Amino acid sequence: MANIVWHTKFGIHLDLTLEDLGHPNLPNLWTTIYDTDRLYAARSIPVSERDLQCGGICQEAGVTAWMYLRLRANGRREAVHERAEDEERHAAPMTPEHQAYQERIVRAAVTGGFRADCEVRTRTGRRGWIQTDTLVQGESGLRIGWEVQLSTADTHGPRSVRSRAIKATKHGITPAWHTDRADYARRHDTQWTRSDKLPAHVIAKAGDLRVVSGFRVLDFWRCDVRALYRCPATQRRCGKVHVTPKPRDVLFDDLVRRTAAGLVVPIKHRDGASTHRFWVTRIDRDRLEDLNNDHTALPPLPDHEDGPAGCEPSPAHLSADHPRPAPSRTHPCRG
Ligand SMILES: [Zn+2]
Ligand SMILES: [Zn+2]
């Protein structure tokens, strides 16, 4: 399957991950092309005469690969290559751990009520693309682009992460880079999250998968004699309000769902000369913005907490937030 289709008659690319296929000016476009494709199929018109080609990897490779459309019972729209050899062109070699992460992200997103797809290509203009490992469609058009970089990765290390992250952001995708390597997690070119190094069968399981760095809770405090921290700006007690980000473990599935819901957001935070990038709750981000506008007042506490309260897995937390998904025998990323 592929998510970019070239319509030979209309002369446009269709992005199946978007509700409007990337053409807000053409209402009911999906219905039109899907119904037409079904009609052609009912009349036994060959796929090669139905105007739809792979507009992604195959087109880039200079191959004319005909496609037909399929609508799954769950509402998922799919374009299928007519020939298996074209389909194979899309299957990049991937480690079992990497694939387990992709499938875990999809499962976590779907059980949270969000749609997710693997190896998604998003057009960024006439010729440009962004390839996303796993793209989660969140609340109100929010798109989270997960990139997994593991120690087992041997093909490509994380090069030009900063520019890839900026490009994704510019095109409406919030980049979420995840790793099991401490050296990647210490970089501040994007908001890296990290889990311990785990074998594929553990990553694939429904049990808790802990994120050990990359998420922080912001501690706001007044710089007076009762303060627990040293003043970051002066050698004395300056009387202003400061913020200290404190690392907090969260559960990976929680992170996938809360980022999709917009409840956990990426920020960058200046600490002296260095800029740190990590994830916080939306409430903490809003409070930080309040603080940046006025360093003399403690940002007001929210009425209710809507972020992950950190993830010391209390029984209540597990039952409320972690409905155990049914073990899946399918491989959503190798569909
Ligand atoms: Zn293709
Ligand atoms: Zn101070």
Side-chain angles (χ1 to χ4, degrees), residues 4 6 11-15 18 22-23 55 59-60 121-130 167 170-171:
I4 303 282
W6 171 249
I12 53 173
H13 283 98
L14 313 167
D15 183 345
L18 298 175
H23 296 278
Q59 191 174 61
E60 276 192 350
R121 297 190 135 210
T122 307
R123 287 191 74 80
T124 58
R126 285 189 72 81
R127 292 176 175 276
W129 303 92
I130 294 175
K167 190 176 174 194
K170 197 176 137 206
H171 291 94

Side-chain angles (χ1 to χ4, degrees), residues 223 231 238 242:
C223 193
C231 178
C238 70
H242 302 302

Side-chain angles (χ1 to χ4, degrees), residues 221 223 230-234 236-240 242:
W221 51 281
C223 193
R230 300 174 73 150
C231 178
T234 70
R236 57 191 171 81
R237 290 302 176 190
C238 70
K240 288 183 179 169
H242 302 302

Side-chain angles (χ1 to χ4, degrees), residues 122-144:
T122 307
R123 287 191 74 80
T124 58
R126 285 189 72 81
R127 292 176 175 276
W129 303 92
I130 294 175
Q131 169 103 21
T132 309
D133 247 12
T134 311
L135 186 70
V136 178
Q137 314 274 355
E139 298 282 353
S140 338
L142 194 60
R143 309 173 102 199
I144 310 293

